[in-house]
């Protein structure tokens, strides 16, 4: 356009020309050759044509750009609507903010935990259609918030909770002390340690004693030290706590988790299976909480992206490792004695969570934490009896033997 305008201005100046040339134009004889000024008029027409062509080209490009922008906006709206349908509630950080920072790992992790919460809640709701999840969004005045989804008193599930939390602020001294006890070298500035923590956690307590309790948790932690460097790590796991042992279920559960681990490294499953058996140990009872699964914490290698992809595979394995077991047993018949044993085993579950669990401790030590969401893991009902011992060779004794001596379920 600019070139055409410049050519046009030059042509107009040539067309105007000096007075003598204008007079010559007026005296031109019929049939004589046209004077040079007609070339100027031709140039002018050519310039106008060029300008029109360029203007049309520019207008066409502008219209195509506007159409592309409109299509892009429509695509973004469709994607946002699709994400909203997959989530139980709007993300803590806001969907637009997550899209704007979509390449950052913190945003990708928040999207992953939101999607995992939605997938698990939908799968559980499909198994217990008469019940509904109460969705509770909450904010933490110190920074961040969460979404708690809890189903209670259903036909299949006595209590099932799936929580998401995204919190940030300054780490409490008690929480920092707990981390340092695990070998973390945290250098605070003026006693302050900025942090960001996010995760999805769930505990599912079925009504039927032949359906096991299941727990999973996947989380990401980031701390900024005094010199501005950031320490980061991932943690998590999935584990099963049956009231009665069903070897077929145990094999299915562990095999599904092993397949998720093997996609990344064949050494991960045996390592994290042993870590799970060791972590969920109730020392004062000399038994494990359940038959294990996988557990890991403070994982910060080989790279942030590789660990994230591993965590993603594990999170995607939650539904297939557990839901088939629920479907298989949720309508099994059971006796009052079996229900009583379930209540006693739940007492052990409570003991571990309140005495040993790191996540519970961290939550209780973090200022502004949502206590209701932290204690969501506890069952609606449990029981303690003085000096209860099951008969030898009973089904109750069978599960105790496995809890005291963990088994290899996949080899």
């Amino acid at each position: 356009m600019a070139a055409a305008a410049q050519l046009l201005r030059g042509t107009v100046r040539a067309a105007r020309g000096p007075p003598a040339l204008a007079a010559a134009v007026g005296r031109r004889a019929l049939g004589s050759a046209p004077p040079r000024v007609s070339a100027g008029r031709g140039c002018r027409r050519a310039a106008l044509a060029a300008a029109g062509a360029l203007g049309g080209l520019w207008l066409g490009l502008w219209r195509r750009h506007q159409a592309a922008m409109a299509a892009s906006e429509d695509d973004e709206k469709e994607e946002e609507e699709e994400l909203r349908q997959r989530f139980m509630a709007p993300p803590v950080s806001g969907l637009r903010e997550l899209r704007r920072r979509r390449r950052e790992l913190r945003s990708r992790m928040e999207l992953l935990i939101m999607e995992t919460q939605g997938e698990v809640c939908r799968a559980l709701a499909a198994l217990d259609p008469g019940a509904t999840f109460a969705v509770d969004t909450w904010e933490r005045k110190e920074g961040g918030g969460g979404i708690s989804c809890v189903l209670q008193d259903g036909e299949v599930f006595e209590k099932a909770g799936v929580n998401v939390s995204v919190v940030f602020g300054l780490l409490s001294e008690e929480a920092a002390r707990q981390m340092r006890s695990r070998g973390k070298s945290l250098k605070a500035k003026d006693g302050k340690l900025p942090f960001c923590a996010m995760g999805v956690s769930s505990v599912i307590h079925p009504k039927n004693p032949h359906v096991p309790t299941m727990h999973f948790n996947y989380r990401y932690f980031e701390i900024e030290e005094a010199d501005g460097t950031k320490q980061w790590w991932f943690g998590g796991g999935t584990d099963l706590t049956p009231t009665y042992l069903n070897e077929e279920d145990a094999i299915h559960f562990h095999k599904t988790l092993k397949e998720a681990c093997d996609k990344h490294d064949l050494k991960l499953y045996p390592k994290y299976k042993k870590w799970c058996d060791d972590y969920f140990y109730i020392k004062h009872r000399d038994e494990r909480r359940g038959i294990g699964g996988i557990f890991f914490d403070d994982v910060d290698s080989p790279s942030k992206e590789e660990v994230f992809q591993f965590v993603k595979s594990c999170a995607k394995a939650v539904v297939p490792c557990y839901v088939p077991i629920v479907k298989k047993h949720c309508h099994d018949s059971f006796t009052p004695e079996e229900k009583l044993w379930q209540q006693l085993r739940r007492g052990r579950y409570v003991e571990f969570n309140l005495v040993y669990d790191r996540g519970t401790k961290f939550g209780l030590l973090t200022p502004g934490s949502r206590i209701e969401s932290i204690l969501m893991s506890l069952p609606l009902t449990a029981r303690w009896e003085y000096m209860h011992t099951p008969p030898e060779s009973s089904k109750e004794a069978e599960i105790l033997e496995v809890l005291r001596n963990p088994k290899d379920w996949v080899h």
Side-chain angles (χ1 to χ4, degrees), residues 119-305:
E119 288 171 3
V120 174
C121 286
R122 285 191 296 272
L124 298 180
L127 295 171
D128 204 343
T132 57
F133 275 95
V135 180
D136 182 20
T137 60
W138 51 274
E139 293 184 3
R140 176 177 176 267
K141 66 178 182 179
E142 292 83 358
I147 304 157
S148 298
C149 299
V150 181
L151 182 156
Q152 292 186 153
D153 282 324
E155 291 296 320
V156 175
F157 302 109
E158 182 178 282
K159 186 180 182 184
V162 190
N163 291 348
V164 158
S165 63
V166 180
V167 297
F168 51 86
L170 297 176
L171 199 64
S172 71
E173 184 55 41
E174 293 85 355
R177 190 178 302 117
Q178 180 188 341
M179 290 179 182
R180 289 188 179 105
S181 71
R182 306 202 313 262
K184 294 290 181 186
S185 176
L186 304 177
K187 301 172 184 177
K189 184 176 182 180
D190 301 325
K192 297 179 180 178
L193 279 168
F195 81 98
C196 171
M198 63 183 68
V200 56
S201 61
S202 174
V203 177
I204 302 160
H205 295 291
K207 279 191 169 179
N208 194 311
H210 296 293
V211 180
T213 288
M214 194 267 286
H215 157 262
F216 75 88
N217 174 287
Y218 293 99
R219 56 193 178 274
Y220 172 72
F221 213 98
E222 198 174 87
I223 289 182
E224 184 176 332
E225 297 192 89
D227 60 0
T229 60
K230 290 183 179 179
Q231 284 200 47
W232 60 267
W233 62 89
F234 289 87
T238 304
D239 62 279
L240 199 68
T241 304
T243 301
Y244 290 96
L245 181 63
N246 182 301
E247 293 202 0
E248 187 177 288
D249 296 342
I251 292 169
H252 165 78
F253 184 80
H254 278 267
K255 184 179 179 181
T256 307
L257 294 178
K258 182 180 183 299
E259 289 171 354
C261 294
D262 287 353
K263 293 177 184 177
H264 303 270
D265 190 330
L266 296 179
K267 297 177 183 177
L268 294 180
Y269 171 77
K271 177 181 179 181
Y272 294 156
K273 192 268 184 191
K274 184 180 185 307
W275 199 341
C276 187
D277 291 336
D278 293 342
Y279 177 76
F280 290 105
Y281 177 61
I282 307 173
K283 187 176 181 180
H284 61 272
R285 298 287 190 181
D286 189 26
E287 62 190 43
R288 276 76 186 166
R289 190 178 74 176
I291 62 167
I294 58 172
F295 176 85
F296 57 92
D297 204 0
D298 301 325
V299 177
D300 56 6
S301 64
S303 72
K304 190 180 286 189
E305 179 63 27

Side-chain angles (χ1 to χ4, degrees), residues 209 243-244 334-344 396:
T243 301
Y244 290 96
F334 57 88
T335 66
E337 291 76 20
E338 289 171 334
K339 188 67 178 176
L340 173 65
W341 178 244
Q342 180 195 54
Q343 299 300 297
L344 291 170
E396 291 78 12

Side-chain angles (χ1 to χ4, degrees), residues 97-148:
E97 180 64 15
L98 290 177
R99 284 178 53 82
R100 189 180 68 81
R101 297 187 290 109
R102 68 179 73 188
R103 289 183 176 83
E104 296 180 19
L105 190 133
R106 278 170 57 167
S107 297
R108 293 164 64 201
M109 183 65 182
E110 185 170 349
L111 287 171
L112 174 62
I113 62 179
M114 290 294 299
E115 289 178 3
T116 302
Q117 182 185 51
E119 288 171 3
V120 174
C121 286
R122 285 191 296 272
L124 298 180
L127 295 171
D128 204 343
T132 57
F133 275 95
V135 180
D136 182 20
T137 60
W138 51 274
E139 293 184 3
R140 176 177 176 267
K141 66 178 182 179
E142 292 83 358
I147 304 157
S148 298

